[in-house]
């Protein structure tokens, strides 16, 4: 565990020695300096499928050894050599690529091989350790399996790319915000350690906590004050939004750096006025870290009933472990609650609703019963992006439908039918679990444009205070007659959303509308004065004209991708939302011909069936109508490859920050905002001559060597030719808008 010795005196024998690296990255040159008798260090690179090496005299293509790598060190002479190797783990995860991988065991001491295999998952083909290869699955007839020691070198063969979360024992960084006594801090830290150990024993993996923080706040005021201070770790929401979410009951949430939750409900000193979980909440959010790190993506981009359901199901195990309730008792109570709901599982793919957490936990329970506990994390492993192509240069992200069928052996549609059949066997409920007795009913009808009932559609209602939503959404399924009824909290303002076959519409002041809606267009429904019946009609063609864009990117390309649908006349622009990593789906407001624009950070390209192009004129027009269209896009390496760098300043040298500067050519374009010191770095689509501009009042001000201008022909063009351009000084008057006059 983490308390193991910091270093180990390793004995290297003459010849080749297999060594695993655990500590911080080290230069190969430093190892040669520490071991003068070493003449060669080499390893197998799983990505290029070739050996990389370095020699003491001439160096080579192996320059640094990262934690998690395994190498072979060749020692000359006839005597053994002592070498002090660090054993404190610097990280807890390694990436395994399809085929053979040379990796190090970063985990705990004396970890049995069968548990090591569990932590890798069903894609494991074999493990070679201490000169012996163990094929998978392990033979039950084997009497004694080896145990691994930290720093052991392994040869691991897998059938597909995946992330391996080894139980390194690294503790997450825990930050306490507000008034939390030292004794309570110690208690919480001890409980977190206990939960981590329990999860490791249960799943044979441990989240990589090398860069993870758990923030615990003693009160909402303390959390908001921390957000206002700007200190690390920083909440993704602004202080105003954070307070609104927390006062609405959303007190725990995953963040890029880890997660936050309240400390004021810990068993030893609960505060009655503080709501939120403790032990179960820690386990719930830690499980989200498992999901995120195994799939390298937001777990909420898989179906919510799976991501939230499995994390909620974990509460059943934790309650039993901490003697709060037996597993069977908890299971029976949850199934009783599920029997009181009628929402279909399909309604819980993309949303967060109170009934969904319980329903999803029952789904997980049934999947564990039929496929074993390891299958839950195997699903997340199956979501890991795969290296494809002969040169293994491209990344493709599997869909969650593909991952589900790969893991559980049946299609999502077949599972929905099977689960619905099981729910019909539950006892008829004597009551419903819809909200509180003080709730009011928001009822109405939903029909298609031709007047037929929109049966099976989903209606969602959620409380909003200004622009901030409060609590979880309530939902209803439209029945065969077109009717629906949602129980909502009294004395609130609700917004209504409708979903049908992946099409999403919001209730506006002018009726249901698909796509983006501006803040002042939403219809706020006051529950103190609801209409007797809210009769809604799906607009004609609102759920047609669908396009799906599958994006495949080069390995290592982590640029943000944005996709916009542009109408042929240029009047309509629809931003395409991501369904999951690599897949984007939207619907145009009306049938017609559209171009697809792909933004890489702020560099714009256009779709063409032969590949992305830099010019809009060469962009392909795609006909959208009733039949959905799917296109595939590969992000090229030779476009959006160079930058124009400069500063935007006034005549006295003062920087202009937060200004959007554009680079235009005859078709291609890119843009970037200026930062605090006025600098900008605009990635441009291709080689060419570019005019730099920014907006002031009602005109464009363009860059010129002799001074800024509002006339294109007077602007100085910046030439990009297979290299970055630097040193641009874009100088404008203090009152830039005066140029427009």
């Amino acid at each position: 565990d983490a308390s193991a010795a910091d270093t180990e005196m390793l004995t290297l024998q003459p010849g080749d020695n297999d060594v695993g690296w655990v500590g911080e990255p080290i230069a190969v040159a430093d190892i040669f300096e520490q071991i003068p008798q070493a003449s060669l260090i080499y390893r197998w690179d799983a990505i290029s499928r070739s050996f990389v090496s370095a020699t003491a005299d001439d160096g080579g293509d192996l320059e640094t050894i990262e934690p998690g790598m395994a190498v072979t060190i060749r020692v000359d002479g006839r005597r053994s050599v002592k070498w002090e190797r660090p054993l404190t783990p610097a990280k807890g995860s390694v990436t395994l690529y399809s085929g053979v991988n040379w990796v190090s065991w970063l985990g705990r001491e004396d970890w049995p091989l069968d548990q090591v295999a569990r932590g890798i998952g069903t894609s494991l083909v074999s493990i070679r350790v201490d000169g012996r290869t163990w094929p998978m699955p392990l033979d039950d007839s084997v009497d004694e399996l080896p145990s691994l020691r930290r720093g052991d070198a392994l040869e691991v063969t897998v059938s597909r790319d995946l992330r391996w979360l080894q139980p390194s024992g690294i503790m997450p960084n825990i930050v306490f915000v507000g008034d939390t006594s030292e004794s309570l801090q110690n208690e919480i830290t001890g409980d977190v350690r206990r939960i981590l150990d329990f999860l490791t024993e249960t799943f044979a993996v441990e989240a990589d906590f090398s860069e993870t923080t758990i923030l615990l706040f003693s009160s909402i005021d303390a959390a908001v004050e921390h957000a206002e201070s700007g200190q690390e770790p920083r909440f993704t929401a602004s202080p105003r939004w954070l307070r609104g979410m927390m006062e609405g009951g959303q007190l725990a949430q995953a963040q890029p750096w880890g997660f936050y939750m309240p400390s004021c409900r810990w068993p030893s000193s609960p505060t009655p006025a503080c709501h939120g979980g403790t032990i179960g909440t820690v386990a719930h959010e830690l499980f989200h870290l498992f999901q995120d790190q195994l799939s390298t993506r937001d777990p909420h981009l898989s179906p919510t009933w799976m991501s939230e359901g499995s994390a909620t199901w974990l509460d059943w195990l934790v309650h039993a472990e901490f003697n709060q309730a037996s597993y069977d008792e908890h299971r029976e109570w949850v199934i009783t609650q599920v029997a009181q709901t009628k929402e279909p599982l399909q309604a819980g793919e993309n949303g967060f609703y109170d009934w969904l957490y319980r329903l999803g936990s029952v789904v997980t329970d049934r999947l564990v019963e039929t496929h074993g506990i390891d299958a839950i994390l195997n699903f997340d492993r199956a979501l890991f992006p795969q290296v494809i192509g002969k040169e293994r240069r491209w990344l493709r992200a599997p869909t969650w439908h593909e991952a589900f069928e790969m893991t559980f052996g049946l299609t999502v549609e077949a599972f929905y039918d099977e689960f619905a059949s099981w729910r019909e066997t539950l006892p008829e409920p004597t009551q419903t679990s819809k909200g509180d007795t003080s709730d009011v009913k928001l009822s109405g009808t939903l029909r298609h444009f031709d007047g037929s009932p929109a049966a099976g559609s989903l209606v969602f209602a959620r409380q909003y205070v200004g622009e901030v939503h409060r609590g979880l959404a309530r939902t209803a399924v439209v029945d065969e007659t077109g009717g629906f009824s949602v129980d909502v909290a009294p004395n609130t303002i609700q917004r209504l959303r409708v979903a049908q076959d992946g099409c999403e519409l919001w209730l506006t002041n002018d009726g249901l509308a698909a796509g983006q809606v501006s803040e002042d267009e939403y219809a706020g429904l006051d529950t103190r004065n609801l209409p007797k019946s809210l009769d809604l009609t799906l607009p004609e063609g609102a759920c047609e004209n669908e396009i799906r864009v599958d994006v495949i990117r080069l390995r290592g390309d982590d640029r943000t991708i944005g996709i916009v649908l542009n109408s042929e006349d240029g009047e309509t622009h629809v931003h395409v939302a991501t369904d999951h990593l690599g897949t984007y789906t939207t619907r145009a407001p009306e049938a017609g011909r559209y171009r697809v624009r792909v933004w890489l950070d702020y560099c714009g390209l256009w779709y063409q069936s032969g590949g992305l192009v830099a010019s809009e004129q060469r962009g392909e027009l795609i006909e959208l109508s009733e039949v959905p269209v799917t296109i595939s896009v590969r992000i090229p390496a030779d476009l959006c490859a160079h930058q124009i760098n400069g500063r935007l300043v006034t005549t006295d040298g003062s920087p202009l920050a937060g200004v959007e500067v554009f680079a235009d050519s005859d078709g291609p374009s890119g843009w970037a905002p200026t930062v605090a010191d006025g600098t900008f770095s605009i990635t441009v689509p291709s080689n060419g001559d570019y005019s730099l501009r920014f907006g002031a009042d009602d005109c464009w001000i363009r860059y010129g060597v002799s001074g800024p201008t509002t006339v294109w022909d007077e602007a100085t063009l910046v030439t990009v030719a297979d290299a970055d351009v630097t040193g641009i000084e874009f100088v404008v008057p203090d009152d830039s808008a005066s140029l427009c006059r």
Side-chain angles (χ1 to χ4, degrees):
D1 57 28
S3 63
D6 294 337
T7 62
E8 175 190 39
M9 188 60 70
L10 193 65
T11 301
L12 302 179
Q13 301 296 337
D16 287 354
N17 299 264
D18 296 333
V19 176
W21 191 255
V22 174
E24 297 291 341
I26 185 172
V28 173
D30 291 343
I31 297 181
F32 283 125
E33 185 175 337
Q34 295 172 16
I35 313 174
Q37 297 87 344
S39 60
L40 173 68
I41 301 176
Y42 66 93
R43 68 181 302 270
W44 175 259
D45 182 70
I47 297 178
S48 64
R49 294 184 177 178
S50 62
F51 284 101
V52 291
S53 62
T55 63
D57 297 330
D58 302 322
D61 48 10
L62 178 60
E63 298 178 351
T64 305
I65 301 177
E66 302 286 341
M69 286 184 176
V71 299
T72 297
I73 301 177
R74 180 169 297 169
V75 174
D76 292 341
R78 298 182 179 181
R79 294 184 178 181
S80 61
V81 177
K82 298 291 186 181
W83 177 43
E84 191 171 15
R85 171 183 60 168
L87 279 186
T88 301
K91 59 181 291 189
S93 65
V94 296
T95 300
L96 302 176
Y97 293 94
S98 175
V100 177
N101 300 261
W102 285 19
V103 295
S104 172
W105 174 246
L106 306 166
R108 307 184 183 195
E109 289 292 318
D110 298 322
W111 199 254
L113 188 64
D114 56 345
Q115 291 296 88
V116 173
R118 280 188 62 209
I120 298 176
T122 54
S123 299
L124 176 61
V125 176
S126 66
I127 297 180
R128 182 174 179 82
V129 55
D130 290 336
R132 181 175 177 182
T133 299
W134 300 84
M136 299 294 148
L138 290 169
D139 192 339
D140 294 335
S141 65
V142 177
D143 294 331
E144 187 174 352
L145 293 171
S147 295
L148 300 189
R149 298 183 65 238
R150 177 168 287 164
D152 278 351
L154 309 175
E155 184 181 287
V156 178
T157 303
V158 291
S159 59
R160 68 195 312 274
D161 305 343
L162 59 95
R163 177 68 58 79
W164 183 11
L165 305 181
Q166 300 185 27
S168 64
I170 298 174
M171 275 285 284
N173 178 38
I174 301 178
V175 173
F176 293 93
V177 173
D179 186 15
T180 307
S181 68
E182 184 177 353
S183 61
L184 181 56
Q185 291 185 29
N186 292 335
E187 178 190 350
I188 291 174
T189 302
D191 284 344
V192 170
R193 175 77 270 173
R194 181 181 172 187
I195 294 171
L196 292 178
D197 290 340
F198 169 68
L199 294 178
T200 300
E201 294 169 4
T202 302
F203 296 103
V205 297
E206 187 173 280
D208 186 351
F209 295 118
S210 57
E211 297 181 358
T212 299
T213 297
I214 300 175
L215 186 147
L216 294 121
F217 56 89
S218 60
S219 65
I220 293 176
D221 286 343
V224 173
E225 288 173 7
H226 177 81
E228 292 172 339
S229 72
Q231 298 180 55
E232 299 292 344
R234 299 187 181 186
F235 295 99
T236 54
S238 68
R240 183 172 65 88
W241 276 81
L242 183 67
R243 180 179 294 280
M245 290 189 297
M246 288 185 171
E247 290 178 349
Q250 192 170 334
L251 290 167
Q253 190 179 72
Q255 300 281 287
W257 39 262
F259 63 89
Y260 63 81
M261 60 171 287
S263 62
C264 48
R265 289 283 291 174
W266 226 259
S268 64
S269 56
T271 303
C274 174
H275 301 286
T278 54
I279 304 298
T281 307
V282 172
H284 185 108
E285 298 300 335
L286 285 175
F287 198 78
H288 282 325
L289 289 179
F290 282 160
Q291 296 168 323
D292 191 14
Q293 293 181 6
L294 285 172
S295 61
T296 68
R297 72 203 239 185
D298 187 335
H300 299 159
L301 293 176
S302 62
T304 314
W305 54 258
M306 190 70 173
S307 59
E308 293 294 350
S310 54
T312 303
W313 168 81
L314 188 62
D315 292 349
W316 306 9
L317 298 183
V318 173
H319 279 102
E321 172 69 12
F322 283 77
N323 299 315
Q324 295 177 346
S326 74
Y327 183 93
D328 291 337
E329 288 174 348
H330 205 113
R331 180 180 186 274
E332 182 178 351
W333 179 83
V334 174
I335 290 179
T336 300
Q337 298 295 307
V338 166
Q340 298 170 21
T341 64
K342 296 298 182 183
E343 288 86 356
L345 187 58
Q346 297 92 312
E349 287 189 5
N350 300 294
F352 302 90
Y353 325 114
D354 49 0
W355 55 268
L356 177 57
Y357 290 69
R358 292 189 293 269
L359 185 61
S361 67
V362 173
V363 172
T364 301
D365 177 66
R366 289 183 57 77
L367 291 173
V368 168
E369 183 178 349
T370 55
H371 293 81
I373 194 171
D374 293 337
I376 302 305
L377 291 185
N378 282 334
F379 169 76
D380 293 295
R381 292 185 180 99
L383 293 170
F384 189 81
Q386 299 297 294
V387 177
I388 60 174
K390 292 182 179 180
E391 298 179 3
R392 298 163 70 87
R393 297 175 61 235
W394 298 91
L395 281 181
R396 179 190 178 275
T399 68
W400 74 263
H401 281 252
E402 294 169 346
F404 189 90
E405 187 170 356
M406 180 189 307
T407 305
F408 302 109
L410 73 167
T411 66
V412 172
E413 292 72 19
F415 178 72
Y416 280 153
D417 292 340
E418 178 186 284
F419 188 72
S421 298
W422 172 78
R423 287 183 74 182
E424 291 177 359
T425 67
L426 297 179
E428 190 69 25
T430 57
Q431 60 179 1
T432 65
S433 61
K434 288 281 190 180
D436 188 87
T437 54
S438 63
D439 285 349
V440 296
K441 288 192 177 296
L442 173 59
S443 302
T445 61
L446 180 66
R447 300 185 180 278
H448 293 288
F449 186 77
D450 61 5
S452 60
S457 297
L458 305 171
V459 178
F460 304 95
R462 193 169 196 178
Q463 179 187 356
Y464 275 75
V465 177
E467 301 176 18
V468 181
H469 57 70
R470 293 283 184 91
L472 299 171
R474 307 282 181 87
T475 185
V477 181
V478 178
D479 62 27
E480 294 78 4
T481 68
F484 66 86
S485 180
V486 187
D487 295 309
V488 295
N491 305 316
T492 59
I493 303 297
Q494 301 280 330
R495 287 183 185 175
L496 209 65
R497 177 169 59 92
V498 171
Q500 182 193 46
D501 298 328
C503 176
E504 189 175 89
L505 305 96
W506 287 88
L507 181 61
T508 72
N509 298 319
D510 297 320
L512 291 173
Q516 297 171 326
V517 179
S518 62
E519 192 62 36
D520 58 354
E521 290 181 296
Y522 288 107
L525 299 174
D526 191 334
T527 59
R528 292 164 295 191
N529 187 30
L530 290 174
K532 185 176 181 180
S533 178
L534 191 64
D535 298 318
L536 305 175
T537 300
L538 295 170
E540 185 177 16
C543 293
E544 299 175 355
N545 317 318
E546 178 182 320
I547 184 169
R548 168 176 165 154
V549 183
D550 291 328
V551 177
I552 300 172
R553 65 171 77 204
L554 285 162
R555 190 183 68 243
D557 185 354
D558 58 358
R559 290 175 293 184
T560 301
I561 294 177
I563 296 181
V564 180
L565 199 62
N566 289 30
S567 61
E568 184 177 11
D569 59 12
E571 296 296 323
T572 303
H573 305 272
V574 180
H575 291 270
V576 185
T578 177
D579 298 329
H580 63 266
L581 192 66
T583 301
Y584 302 77
T585 302
T586 194
R587 288 173 170 85
E590 59 185 24
R593 300 204 299 173
Y594 294 83
R595 289 186 174 89
V596 174
R597 191 167 201 182
V598 179
W599 287 96
L600 306 179
D601 287 338
Y602 304 115
C603 179
L605 301 174
W606 297 86
Y607 170 76
Q608 212 274 345
S609 55
L612 292 180
V613 294
S615 171
E616 179 179 3
Q617 289 74 20
R618 295 176 57 202
E620 185 173 318
L621 285 166
I622 300 171
E623 190 77 35
L624 298 184
S625 58
E626 297 179 7
V627 180
V629 173
T630 299
I631 62 174
S632 181
V633 167
R634 290 196 176 218
I635 305 300
D638 58 342
L639 296 178
C640 293
H642 298 294
Q643 293 182 330
I644 299 175
N645 301 282
R647 292 183 72 227
L648 180 63
V649 296
T650 60
T651 50
D652 64 358
S654 300
L656 293 176
V659 178
E660 296 175 353
V661 181
F662 295 81
D664 298 323
S665 185
D666 185 17
S669 66
W671 68 279
T674 59
V675 296
D677 62 354
T679 59
F680 57 85
S681 295
I682 305 173
T683 302
V684 293
S686 61
N687 291 337
D689 296 327
Y690 290 86
S691 173
L692 302 181
R693 63 180 171 91
F694 71 93
D697 266 4
D698 296 323
C699 77
W700 293 107
I701 298 175
R702 299 184 179 275
Y703 165 71
V705 172
S706 59
T709 179
T710 59
V711 181
W712 170 280
D713 292 341
E714 297 176 0
T716 300
L717 298 181
V718 179
T719 300
V720 177
D722 295 325
D724 292 348
V725 176
T726 60
I728 299 295
E729 284 288 322
F730 194 163
V731 183
V732 297
D734 293 341
D735 181 14
S736 301
S738 62
L739 294 172
C740 299
R741 298 190 290 273

